[in-house]
Amino acid sequence: MKGRIIIFTGKGGVGKTSTAAAHALKSASEGKQTLLVSTDMAHNLSDLFEQKLGNAPVEIQEHLEVYEIDPAYVMEHDFANIMASITKMLPAEMNASGAEEYGMFPGMEELFSLLYIAKMYETGRYDRIIVDCAPTGETLSLLKFPELLSWYMEKLFPIGKVAVRVLAPVARQFYKMELPDRTAMNDIQKLYVQLIGLQELLKNREITSVRLVTVPEKMIVEETKRNYMYMNLYDFNVDGLYINRVLPQEADNPFFDEWKEIQQKYVEELKENFSALPICYIPWYGEEVHGVGAVERISRECLTAGDLFEPKTITERETYEKNEKGYLLRVAIPGADKNEVELFQSGTDVVLKLGNFKRNIPLPNVLRTYEITGAKMKDGRLGIQFEGKEQ
């Protein structure tokens, strides 16, 4: 069986770290070599396990290693060749600032965090990689960045060799920018190939899945629903929901009666909106979740499903179907209102906008001469009709 990558995300403060850590302990207890890795710059794993972590995975018990990613360190020590290729594309004054200034590129740190996770997966050392991600918006930026960057690179590549031969002297003279030579361009093309491989890994439903952590409170429930919608927009497989800090119904204290009623309302709303997903309930413990013992308690009492680490395909990938009119593209966006979705065709891409998020879906060659003639939302899936003539 292939290894697994399981990514935990949710609004800050809902218990992502403890939930991810509980899975890691459970995995290790099954004798599976497990890596628990944090991509959140506000790392909590060292505090949770009460152990100092460094710039490499640290074994904290048999079959379990823990690592808090430092993107700057990873960029410099694990991907120096890629850094050198990107450096060649910078204007001279930016180039002089060195690798430590790469934070000026939005998403660059996230990219190298993902590349590191992919690298660890490809070593075959780990049976399971559990990822404690940053809060919701940052996680989405993290996961969508490889697709976004590779899309831009794909648009650039058709003029790549011409640019090297014709534009390089002009760029040097007028823009003080050193375009990459043929060797460097090959390196950049290698980066493009890595990005494509990274996308395929993140969207391989047999390997990678995203799991949402939430608590039964109004604002957080609303964000969880939006998170699920956006994850599906970008075609990630969400295969689990964890409702944390649920007050036990048997709690015999009048102080909690109103809170239990409020929580029950939002638990029911979550069950209704996420009926397709396996749902796990984690109670509100009377003690702080701190230290291995507290995490083991969550693992022992809550993570009891026999198929906890098995891949589950909850929503279908985007599909193209040939029909009497032409072709129908279906994209799953559960929870989206048809009035929220903006849709248009730009060149050889379909562009979907939902709130502040936008996704470009490249069209297959057969549809390059087709046009969108209609769209309809039904049962959480957007159907986009194309009509035209095949060339």
Side-chain angles (χ1 to χ4, degrees), residues 309-320:
F309 296 102
E310 294 299 314
K312 308 175 188 68
T313 298
I314 304 301
T315 55
E316 295 181 10
R317 304 197 69 151
E318 55 204 35
T319 59
Y320 293 91

Side-chain angles (χ1 to χ4, degrees), residues 5 110-119 122 142-143 145-147 191-204 208 236:
I5 299 174
E110 289 90 342
L111 171 64
F112 281 94
S113 294
L114 285 177
L115 285 172
Y116 180 86
I117 292 169
K119 181 180 178 181
E122 289 162 6
L142 174 85
L143 295 177
F145 189 73
E147 178 177 301
L191 172 59
Y192 175 74
V193 171
Q194 282 188 280
L195 289 172
I196 296 300
L198 183 57
Q199 282 188 66
E200 292 177 351
L201 179 64
L202 293 174
K203 297 189 179 185
N204 185 327
T208 304
F236 294 109

Side-chain angles (χ1 to χ4, degrees), residues 86-142:
I86 296 174
T87 299
K88 294 179 186 294
M89 299 183 67
L90 295 175
E93 61 273 15
M94 292 173 64
N95 191 302
S97 63
E100 67 273 8
E101 298 298 330
Y102 275 88
M104 68 183 69
F105 290 96
M108 194 59 68
E109 291 183 341
E110 289 90 342
L111 171 64
F112 281 94
S113 294
L114 285 177
L115 285 172
Y116 180 86
I117 292 169
K119 181 180 178 181
M120 290 298 98
Y121 175 83
E122 289 162 6
T123 66
R125 172 178 172 80
Y126 302 103
D127 299 303
R128 294 164 182 161
I129 297 177
I130 311 296
V131 185
D132 172 29
C133 259
T136 304
E138 295 174 54
T139 297
L140 202 53
S141 297
L142 174 85

Side-chain angles (χ1 to χ4, degrees), residues 308-370:
L308 185 67
F309 296 102
E310 294 299 314
K312 308 175 188 68
T313 298
I314 304 301
T315 55
E316 295 181 10
R317 304 197 69 151
E318 55 204 35
T319 59
Y320 293 91
E321 302 170 10
K322 190 170 178 58
N323 58 23
E324 67 280 0
K325 295 181 179 180
Y327 287 87
L328 185 68
L329 167 61
R330 295 185 186 275
V331 182
I333 323 178
D337 186 287
K338 64 179 181 180
N339 297 318
E340 294 180 290
V341 181
E342 293 182 47
L343 166 69
F344 56 93
Q345 193 168 349
S346 176
T348 56
D349 294 342
V350 172
V351 182
L352 287 174
K353 292 187 69 177
L354 189 59
N356 294 324
F357 293 94
K358 180 179 77 169
R359 184 183 176 207
N360 290 64
I361 303 177
L363 292 173
N365 287 334
V366 70
L367 294 183
R368 296 293 172 100
T369 59
Y370 280 59

